Amino acid sequence: MKRNNRLWGALYLRRRWLTVGIGVKRWLLLLATGAAVTSMGWVYLLLSTNRAGWLPGRLYDGLTLQFLPLGWRIALPLIVGGLIMLLAVVKLGKNLVEPLREGPGAVVDSLVDYRLRDRGPHIVAIGGGTGMPGLLRGLSPYTSNLTAIVTVADDGGSSGRLRRELGLLPPGDFRNNLAALARDEALLTQVLQYRFGAMPSVATPGVATPGIVPPDGNGGAADEPAAPGLTGHAFGNLLLAALTGITGSFDEALLAAQRVLALRGQVLPSTLENVTLVAEVALPQGESVEVSGESAIPQAGGRIERVRLEPSHARAYPPALRAIFGADLIILGPGSLYTSILPNLLVADLAEALRHTRARVVYVCNLATQPGETDGYSVADHVAAITAHAPGAILDSVIANDNLSIPPETGGGRTQFVQPDAPAGVDFIRRDLVDEARPWRHDSAKLARAVLDLLA
């Protein structure tokens, strides 16, 4: 049985090398052509030296296989020469890629996957928050031509502190999307999301030992305080802060991080300007107030009527515009409507690019309403808010979840699913998009299939 498994495994690996489009067979053919052309030169050299009488007759007869029938004189050099070339190519390739191998078939599998992703569709995702990394995670096995365009209006938590203390664009949403596109996503997500905090004292009794704890804590032991300047910061945020200091600008820091992490795509800001999100909020008492700051808006306790950016004329980041015009498909969301998606559309140049792009623009509506932002909203309400803030024909399609069978309390005390009523003027697509383990979030694989079906 084991022998048969090894045999089938070997046949499978050889078949993988014949996969169409991975760029191997064409170069082997070119190598064979080059060898044939070179052989013509050796034949003429042999004939010329024989005619000049420089070769003994027996040596010439041996070199030209005169002792064999004509058919064998043709076939034998072709077979032996081909086998020698094939052996040389295999051994050379093995020696070149040996340091990169991680098990049988690792090289060919990586090559096939890389080529297929490299030829995948160009997809741009626009938003921020925790929703977009799940989308990117689902799409990354199918294409490496992914671009995440991220809002820079975040001012809460570790990102807000770095923004205030260092004048840095908020790195949190960028960190999440970098982790989602990283080649070793499982490990790098843990590394980039690692937060500095307190760690139990393990050295000399009575001596505080600053350290780090993972986000979910390490249980039980008494904690000692860490350095106040690091407490609460995610490692990925500090990495981007350090790269900004090294490269001199946030956009160059993102490029450097993409090289370091070997991303399957790119992450770009919607603008490089230091913008603040301001909301007009209608309070339950009937009073309307202005709330400044992305993190403060959901805490206002009222209904958001409108949001805007200050300064209002922020310029779009040029590479983000180029990505939009070169896209095959553009996706808005999933993510917080007022604090993750709309801040990007409030950048006038970016919204204008969406109106004129050749690509289909699709809005992925959230599964659940967000307390303080979209309480009681249906799919049509989400679309109406987008249209009110970015007038003109921006949206072509809307994808929404229609699996409402999971009880709302499964997702937490205040979770309410968005009702999938059809918005006017757009193509409306309903799918089961629920992650059954976390029903308030999209399932990455289901969402990726729904998105790729639009390109079929």
Side-chain angles (χ1 to χ4, degrees), residues 15 20 77 79 84 135 170 187 211 214 233 283 316 332 339 347 373:
R15 189 168 67 251
V20 176
I79 294 172
I84 291 173
L135 170 66
L187 174 62
H233 282 303
L283 300 179
L332 303 182
T339 55
V347 179
E373 281 201 39

Side-chain angles (χ1 to χ4, degrees), residues 368-388:
T369 60
Q370 184 171 356
E373 281 201 39
T374 56
D375 299 273
Y377 273 38
S378 65
V379 173
D381 293 328
H382 283 77
V383 173
I386 293 175
T387 304

Side-chain angles (χ1 to χ4, degrees), residues 127-304:
T130 58
M132 195 157 69
L135 170 66
L136 299 176
R137 195 173 293 114
L139 291 173
S140 60
Y142 303 98
T143 178
S144 294
N145 301 311
L146 294 170
T147 299
I149 299 177
V150 180
T151 177
V152 295
D154 187 11
D155 64 353
S158 171
S159 294
R161 288 173 57 193
L162 291 173
R163 182 177 182 177
R164 292 187 296 271
E165 295 170 7
L166 302 180
L168 187 71
L169 288 179
D173 288 344
F174 295 91
R175 177 194 79 236
N176 294 332
N177 291 292
L178 288 171
L181 291 175
R183 193 172 299 275
D184 189 358
E185 193 258 333
L187 174 62
L188 284 174
T189 293
Q190 296 181 57
V191 172
L192 294 176
Q193 306 289 30
Y194 210 94
R195 287 195 181 271
F196 289 77
M199 183 175 180
S201 177
V202 293
T204 305
V207 178
T209 306
I212 307 171
V213 291
D216 57 352
N218 56 1
D223 290 341
E224 297 289 347
L230 295 179
T231 303
H233 282 303
F235 173 77
N237 291 356
L238 297 180
L239 173 65
L240 288 175
L243 289 174
T244 300
I246 293 170
T247 61
S249 65
F250 188 77
D251 55 328
E252 289 295 330
L254 285 174
L255 293 175
Q258 290 165 22
R259 291 192 296 269
V260 169
L261 301 174
L263 292 198
R264 296 170 176 171
Q266 60 180 343
V267 183
L268 306 175
S270 56
T271 179
L272 290 178
E273 298 189 29
N274 188 13
V275 296
T276 301
L277 187 65
V278 180
E280 299 175 10
V281 180
L283 300 179
Q285 300 83 0
E287 180 185 3
S288 182
V289 297
E290 280 195 354
V291 181
S292 180
E294 179 267 342
S295 60
I297 292 172
Q299 309 300 324
R303 185 179 181 86
I304 301 173

Side-chain angles (χ1 to χ4, degrees), residues 53-121:
W54 296 347
L55 287 177
R58 289 185 178 180
L59 178 60
Y60 176 78
D61 291 344
L63 291 175
T64 57
L65 305 178
Q66 296 296 320
F67 54 88
L68 294 176
L70 178 62
W72 277 106
R73 272 183 267 164
I74 297 172
L76 190 61
L78 291 176
I79 294 172
V80 174
L83 290 175
I84 291 173
M85 285 193 302
L86 182 60
L87 178 64
V89 169
V90 170
K91 292 296 184 181
L92 177 61
K94 181 179 179 181
N95 289 337
L96 288 175
V97 303
E98 190 67 32
L100 306 177
R101 291 183 62 121
E102 294 182 1
V107 175
V108 64
D109 288 339
S110 297
L111 178 61
V112 171
D113 292 343
Y114 172 80
R115 289 299 184 190
L116 293 179
R117 287 195 305 267
D118 191 51
R119 297 174 184 214

Side-chain angles (χ1 to χ4, degrees), residues 31 41 92 187 257 327 338 433 451:
L31 175 63
L92 177 61
L187 174 62
Y338 286 101
L433 303 175
V451 167

Side-chain angles (χ1 to χ4, degrees), residues 219 319 334 430:
R430 298 204 264 189

